[in-house]
Amino acid sequence: GAGIVGLATAHELGRRGHRVTVLEKETRVAQHQTGNNSGVIHSGLYYLPGSLKATLGTRGAASMRDFAVEHGVSVEICGKLVVATTQRQVPALLRLLDRGKANGVPVSLISPEQAHDYEPEVACVAALRVESTGIVDYRGVCDVLAKLIVRDAGEIRFGSEIVDIGSSFDSVTVTTRAAEIVADQFVNCAGLHSDRLARLAGLEPAVRIIPFRGE
């Protein structure tokens, strides 16, 4: 898959010296979730302190910013507000403050007047200011990753929908509608279709992906 997870994985494998072929059923990168989200770089504010999600959130926010700056991808670390609109919500806001600080997130409690200075349309009784939240052009990030994969002798094949996956003791054969590829290993980064590809490979995943849209 040529979404951001597949491309980032392929880039890292190529950087480590592996010869990588990325198979993508669409005609360009980032055509599904990666290219159709709000572009947010999340701070790691909400995750359980000490968890892998918390670690990934804080480190990922920094590395995504650095990657975008290094490669000229549009990025803005604009920060965000998390607001309590009633007094009943203030305790939950304070718990988020503690959690963010435990995760190493640059977060502070600010007054309604300070929140209004950041966003004149906001109405709240208290707010958190999170400095590390940003927005980035994820399609642009994927375009760069694709170029780096090719630079490292990798290949990206578009229009390559997978129809079969077979394996032996020392290889895996992936069949698309256009070709058959024999490789040492198959890495499944098919996003919302990854459970389908797992079943196509003869596996029985313990979960089924149910897509939904957040509002």
Side-chain angles (χ1 to χ4, degrees), residues 4-123:
I4 195 167
V5 175
L7 293 173
T9 302
H11 168 51
E12 178 62 20
L13 289 172
R15 192 184 68 81
R16 296 183 185 188
H18 299 280
R19 184 174 180 274
V20 177
T21 299
V22 178
L23 302 176
E24 170 55 53
K25 70 177 181 179
E26 305 294 353
T27 58
R28 56 167 295 181
V29 302
Q31 287 295 84
H32 289 230
Q33 195 277 342
T34 299
N36 294 284
N37 59 54
S38 57
V40 173
I41 302 174
H42 292 284
S43 64
L45 174 70
Y46 302 101
Y47 303 127
L48 182 68
S51 67
L52 289 176
K53 276 192 172 184
T55 302
L56 178 64
T58 52
R59 291 184 181 177
S63 65
M64 178 58 71
R65 177 199 63 215
D66 294 345
F67 182 90
V69 170
E70 178 184 355
H71 295 283
V73 177
S74 179
V75 62
E76 180 183 356
I77 307 303
C78 51
K80 77 169 180 178
L81 299 176
V82 182
V83 303
T85 57
T86 68
Q87 287 295 336
R88 291 180 61 185
Q89 295 175 342
V90 171
L93 194 74
L94 295 177
R95 287 194 294 272
L96 270 183
L97 175 65
D98 291 340
R99 176 166 285 199
K101 288 182 176 179
N103 288 342
V105 176
V107 56
S108 58
L109 182 68
I110 62 175
S111 68
E113 293 75 24
Q114 290 171 310
H116 188 268
D117 290 339
Y118 284 110
E119 175 47 70
E121 298 298 325
V122 76

